[in-house]
Amino acid sequence: MCGIVGYLGLNDAKEIILNGLKRLEYRGYDSAGMSLYDGENKTFQLFKEKGRIVELEKSLTTTKAALGIGHTRWATHGKVNRENAHPHMSSDQRFSIVHNGVIDNHKALKTMYFDNHAFKSETDTEVIVELMALFAKQMPVPNAMRKTLKLLQGSYALLVIDHESPDTLYAAKHRSPLLLATADDGMIIGSDMMALIGTAERYMALEDETFLQMSKDDATIYDLDGTVLPYDMSVFDMDVLHTEKGNFPHYMLKEIYEQPTMLRGIISKFFNGNTINISQMLLKSIKKHNRLHILAAGTSMHAGFIGKGLFEKLTGIPTEVHIASEFAYQMPILGDKPYFILISQSGETADLRACLLNLKKKQYPTLTITNVITSTLAREADDALEIFAGPEIAVASTKAYTAQIAVLSILAYALSCQTFALKRELSEVAIAMEQCLDNVDYIDDLVKQTLTKDHCFYIGRGNDYHVSLEAALKLKEISYIHTEGFAAGELKHGTIALIETDTPVIAIISNDKTAQNTRSNLAEVHSRGAKTLTIVFESLQEPGDEIVLKNVNPSLAPLLTVLPSQLIAYYAALNRGHDIDKPRNLAKSVTVE
Ligand code: AGP
């Protein structure tokens, strides 16, 4: 989703912003732009292009800039074109702005303040810069900014430059992330840690309803009434090496391969001998409640389904999983002592933030499980647990899913009085993952033979069904093959009508109690012409099975059964020539509702 970078200092803003925008490419975008102040010629220049950042780079004519703001746009209001790309400039040419988020009342503001004005773009952003210009005719710029911000309903992370004041950068934040950092000889501001890599020295996340005024040496942060707010910065220690592809052709493949090592890393983070490193206060607080509610979206929600099984089996506490975007506006009956677990790789998903704000208002206890411990959801929940997956750059989430399940299993285990050796069982999974990763060429061949159609089904029962949902999401998001994950027994109640000659149906079979039932469902589609493929545990193997996995503890089976499905998605997308790490229409961090 949209990305923002701004720089003011003695180094070259153009290079710093360009590097930052390139690091934000993983978030997904469709156009990019920059506004730069050329100190030598004392002019501001605006550049924007539809498509990839290389197109923007080609168009840049400024040689060196002291101040600049840059943006990658993921279209929400208005088509993907140059006019709608950011930055937007006020019609009096005084201000340039970049914006992440959505201004819900942009139409009303246009009618109220600019009845006959011809806006150049279809965006919800342009009205902000026109309001700034309008109010700045009557008052100092900081007051004009505050007056504008107070009119906005919705979410924003904004950077604004006043072309009459090239030694100042203005910014504001409400419900969309924004990080401020000191840099060598300047200050940098961005929407994501990735944007700051290589430049930031110390950093901090801005709070909602704040705006700031920054010079090359310093920044002052205000609330919307103009009161100066104190702040503290932490050392920025994100390692550039962890964010590079190394010898892998794609981030997604690198991240798939990282899973066994990552799992061992999680074990060492959470286990101290046989003691678990989760605060007793947190465990006690969860135990006081009689119903767990897991909130998440997409892949993280699929991890949540596995978490539900683990919590119910190990702790006996009834657990429900909710789609965050539904829960935010349709809160179900919760029970008398509910506890909320928010799962999010990025920790910035707007649907979850909407839930969290509601939960906080009602003073319900919350825990965020996330890969980004500095994220908004981690900071704002009562407690946070890090999943230690390391940076996940590919839009299609792989290692975050397995890391989330691993941490959920450790949390469930810590809450229970179980005696099985979870640490050893997780280590066994890491070994089984490595064995599966030794056979990737075989999986590529199977994909070439089987995935010959534009539709596909994954089927399974219990945990295998929940992994089917994730497997289907992975395949559709990067290969664009229309795929559904189905409870194996449910297919015959209608959807089997879609099976025709050579429709691929992939069955996941890891549970001895349901293996034969799933095999019967597979036989039903096979006899109607489907091309079938199986992912099975070796103890359940039958002649003709294709992908056979080492047995692991059945409660942890999803950590392993998902792996071939990630590889299937990867090779299907590769064979179709798609942009694997940046699939069309998708964003890594979904910061609008
Ligand atoms: C999965 O491949 C997707 N990128 C997507 O479903 C993702 O899991 C979802 O948007 C939730 O993101 P989060 O984990 O960062 O909250």
Side-chain angles (χ1 to χ4, degrees):
M1 208 135 279
C2 305
I4 282 184
V5 199
Y7 176 82
L8 174 55
L10 298 180
N11 288 319
D12 185 5
K14 184 183 81 173
E15 284 307 315
I16 289 173
I17 294 171
L18 205 55
N19 285 337
L21 291 181
K22 284 180 181 167
R23 290 196 185 281
L24 292 180
E25 279 196 294
Y26 81 104
R27 293 170 67 104
Y29 69 104
D30 43 56
S31 51
M34 248 192 241
S35 211
L36 295 170
Y37 176 67
D38 177 345
E40 269 170 34
N41 298 316
K42 309 231 174 311
T43 52
F44 272 96
Q45 287 182 297
L46 181 80
F47 305 92
K48 46 190 187 177
E49 294 297 328
K50 181 179 159 182
R52 294 293 178 207
I53 287 168
V54 285
E55 303 306 323
L56 172 70
E57 195 170 0
K58 279 188 229 154
S59 75
L60 297 173
T61 52
T62 307
T63 44
K64 189 168 186 280
L67 164 66
I69 54 176
H71 190 263
T72 47
R73 175 176 187 250
W74 187 85
T76 57
H77 292 69
K79 284 187 281 297
V80 177
N81 59 30
R82 198 177 170 281
E83 287 66 42
N84 290 333
H86 299 215
H88 292 281
M89 206 191 280
S90 54
S91 46
D92 66 0
Q93 316 260 302
R94 178 168 175 187
F95 294 99
S96 303
I97 189 174
V98 292
H99 166 221
N100 283 3
V102 173
I103 304 303
D104 298 329
N105 60 338
H106 69 283
K107 284 189 185 146
L109 291 172
K110 282 180 184 170
T111 316
M112 208 179 307
Y113 288 92
F114 306 102
D115 214 7
N116 291 315
H117 181 84
F119 282 89
K120 294 188 287 285
S121 75
E122 302 160 280
T123 63
D124 55 333
T125 301
E126 200 183 343
V127 71
I128 309 174
V129 76
E130 290 300 350
L131 285 168
M132 284 283 304
L134 178 69
F135 299 147
K137 289 189 175 81
Q138 306 147 9
M139 58 188 84
V141 172
N143 299 14
M145 181 127 183
R146 280 212 319 271
K147 183 163 180 181
T148 304
L149 297 174
K150 283 188 170 180
L151 291 173
L152 305 181
Q153 288 167 12
S155 55
Y156 54 79
L158 298 174
L159 302 186
V160 179
I161 47 184
D162 175 2
H163 300 181
E164 291 177 8
S165 175
D167 47 12
T168 309
L169 198 159
Y170 299 94
K173 187 257 187 236
H174 184 56
R175 294 193 173 186
S176 290
L178 200 55
L179 306 165
L180 170 70
T182 58
D184 177 25
D185 286 331
M187 303 282 292
I188 181 168
I189 188 157
S191 52
D192 180 322
M193 299 279 271
M194 294 291 288
L196 310 181
I197 287 180
T199 309
E201 289 172 347
R202 297 179 68 77
Y203 83 108
M204 61 165 294
L206 294 167
E207 295 298 332
D208 278 355
E209 298 194 330
T210 54
F211 86 99
L212 72 82
Q213 193 171 340
M214 138 184 159
S215 69
K216 69 175 176 43
D217 309 306
D218 206 0
T220 311
I221 303 177
Y222 305 86
D223 67 15
L224 296 194
D225 293 321
T227 309
V228 175
L229 302 171
Y231 64 86
D232 233 354
M233 290 194 163
S234 317
V235 174
F236 186 90
D237 62 357
M238 201 164 174
D239 188 345
V240 80
L241 276 180
H242 290 139
T243 62
E244 310 218 310
K245 266 198 300 236
N247 292 329
F248 288 90
H250 298 99
Y251 281 107
M252 184 182 177
L253 193 62
K254 174 181 178 240
E255 288 159 10
I256 291 173
Y257 268 88
E258 279 173 349
Q259 290 173 105
T261 312
M262 176 200 78
L263 198 49
R264 292 189 181 105
I266 293 170
I267 296 168
S268 68
K269 289 277 181 196
F270 280 95
F271 286 90
N272 198 350
N274 277 327
T275 317
I276 295 181
N277 287 331
I278 295 181
S279 105
Q280 282 303 321
M281 285 248 290
L282 171 61
L283 297 176
K284 269 190 201 146
S285 150
I286 300 176
K287 278 182 190 166
K288 277 192 233 147
H289 298 85
N290 61 12
R291 189 166 288 264
L292 303 180
H293 293 274
I294 294 176
L295 309 177
T299 291
S300 298
M301 183 182 66
H302 295 155
F305 287 128
I306 310 301
K308 169 186 160 71
L310 287 160
F311 285 124
E312 291 191 336
K313 183 168 176 196
L314 297 183
T315 69
I317 307 176
T319 307
E320 287 174 42
V321 182
H322 307 272
I323 298 173
S325 56
E326 287 297 306
F327 185 92
Y329 300 97
Q330 206 80 21
M331 213 184 268
I333 295 171
L334 299 171
D336 60 340
K337 281 192 268 166
Y339 187 91
F340 293 87
I341 300 175
L342 289 80
I343 308 177
S344 173
Q345 187 284 129
S346 62
E348 300 293 350
T349 298
D351 295 325
L352 276 165
R353 178 94 198 288
C355 297
L356 184 57
L357 292 176
N358 286 343
L359 295 172
K360 281 168 75 95
K361 260 189 227 147
K362 294 182 192 304
Q363 299 189 322
Y364 285 128
T366 51
L367 163 70
T368 294
I369 297 183
T370 182
N371 200 22
V372 186
I373 203 68
T374 52
S375 63
T376 309
L377 294 173
R379 290 196 317 273
E380 293 184 350
D382 298 325
D383 282 290
L385 281 180
E386 187 173 354
I387 60 169
F388 300 105
E392 190 181 64
I393 312 285
V395 165
S397 184
T398 52
K399 62 176 181 170
Y401 172 81
T402 44
Q404 286 162 346
I405 294 174
V407 172
L408 286 165
S409 75
I410 295 168
L411 178 61
Y413 179 78
L415 287 167
S416 72
C417 309
Q418 297 293 322
T419 51
F420 81 99
L422 178 65
K423 188 174 159 189
R424 199 194 60 230
E425 303 283 3
L426 285 169
S427 307
E428 302 269 315
V429 174
I431 295 168
M433 281 176 161
E434 278 164 344
Q435 201 179 65
C436 173
L437 287 168
D438 283 342
N439 280 319
V440 294
D441 291 341
Y442 169 64
I443 292 181
D444 185 15
D445 288 343
L446 286 174
V447 167
K448 287 188 181 116
Q449 289 158 30
T450 316
L451 297 191
T452 52
K453 295 280 173 185
D454 287 333
H455 301 275
C456 179
F457 290 92
Y458 268 94
I459 60 170
R461 287 165 182 256
N463 266 344
D464 295 337
Y465 161 52
H466 292 128
V467 175
S468 293
L469 296 177
E470 172 55 15
L473 177 66
K474 216 56 24 191
L475 186 56
K476 66 185 141 190
E477 69 183 328
I478 58 165
S479 76
Y480 315 145
I481 296 172
H482 171 225
T483 313
E484 297 302 332
F486 252 86
E490 187 63 13
L491 208 59
K492 61 184 178 296
H493 295 287
T495 308
I496 200 166
L498 297 176
I499 302 294
E500 45 189 41
T501 308
D502 288 345
T503 306
V505 180
I506 305 173
I508 302 178
I509 304 172
S510 71
N511 185 328
D512 57 351
K513 291 193 191 69
T514 55
Q516 283 317 317
N517 295 5
T518 303
R519 285 192 187 278
S520 302
N521 301 134
L522 202 59
E524 286 154 15
V525 293
H526 188 255
S527 55
R528 284 159 181 84
K531 248 186 208 176
T532 59
L533 199 152
T534 47
I535 298 171
V536 299
F537 271 9
E538 69 189 359
S539 60
L540 302 172
Q541 183 181 5
E542 291 189 2
D545 280 332
E546 281 86 7
I547 301 175
V548 180
L549 302 167
K550 222 168 130 42
N551 271 50
V552 297
N553 186 303
S555 298
L556 303 175
L559 289 171
L560 183 60
T561 51
V562 78
L563 195 57
S565 78
Q566 296 170 343
L567 291 163
I568 287 171
Y570 176 80
Y571 285 111
L574 189 70
N575 297 335
R576 288 174 173 233
H578 296 321
D579 188 347
I580 292 182
D581 288 332
K582 296 190 277 293
R584 71 181 179 208
N585 305 338
L586 295 182
K588 180 69 181 164
S589 179
V590 185
T591 50
V592 292
E593 283 185 56

